[in-house]
Amino acid sequence: MLGQIRLAQGDRSGAVAAIEEAATVLPEAGDRRVPIGAGRVELAFALGDVDAAADWIRGRGVSVGDEPIYPRDGEHRLLARVLIARGDARSAVPMLDRWRALAAAQGRTGDIIATQVLASVVHSAGGDEAAAREALADALILAAREGHLRVFLAEGAPLAAVLRGLLVDRRLEQMAGTVARARALGLLD
């Protein structure tokens, strides 16, 4: 978390130092609830180092054809980000569909929302704006009930573009009424 804060403040070297310090306190082989490696990958993405992220994913043996097993869904969302960055977003679609189905079967609403938000970005990067808007609308409907916001904000400009298209399209009102539309408008502020 400190790495993310420092990065948001524009302190890139401080962000890297925070991740490295966390790694000395909690080695990668330690508590899986605090994935230091995943934090490094997220920081690598933020710094524009897609190769470092891809190397970590490859080292973990993560691939698009993996069968979903909780709690590895976060690693596969990172793989989807690598695929987007490398111009191969469409190959992430079936993978994200499988992971969303697992999260739904296990009642993990937050992970369903996170997967749908990322699916929206994936569809948009692959040129399928209709599917991007549909995935985002589904995520907004769930988020309006659950109160999730951070997962939308973390995607930044690529998701904002899909959100604007969804609002212009007015499909959100048809699908979920004014609650989801209000949530969407709050995201654009």
Side-chain angles (χ1 to χ4, degrees), residues 9 17 34 65 88 181 187:
Q9 293 172 331
V34 184
D88 190 19
R181 180 169 168 72
L187 290 171

Side-chain angles (χ1 to χ4, degrees), residues 68 70 72-78 80-81 84 92-104 108-123 131-132 134-136 138-140 142 148 151-152 155 159:
Y70 179 77
R72 296 200 69 196
D73 49 346
E75 294 172 352
H76 287 81
R77 285 194 297 263
L78 291 171
R81 293 179 190 291
I84 291 168
V93 172
M95 176 184 71
L96 291 174
D97 288 344
R98 289 192 310 275
W99 286 95
R100 184 186 64 249
L102 175 67
R108 295 182 291 118
T109 305
D111 288 325
I112 297 168
I113 294 167
T115 302
Q116 283 299 100
V117 167
L118 186 55
S120 178
V121 174
V122 164
H123 286 301
E134 183 176 334
L136 181 55
D138 290 346
L140 286 167
L142 283 174
H148 293 267
V151 68
F152 295 95
E155 292 302 329
L159 190 68

Side-chain angles (χ1 to χ4, degrees), residues 44-45 48-58 82 85-86:
F45 273 117
D49 190 352
V50 176
D51 291 337
D55 289 345
W56 185 83
I57 294 290
R58 195 172 18 264
V82 168
R86 295 217 162 142

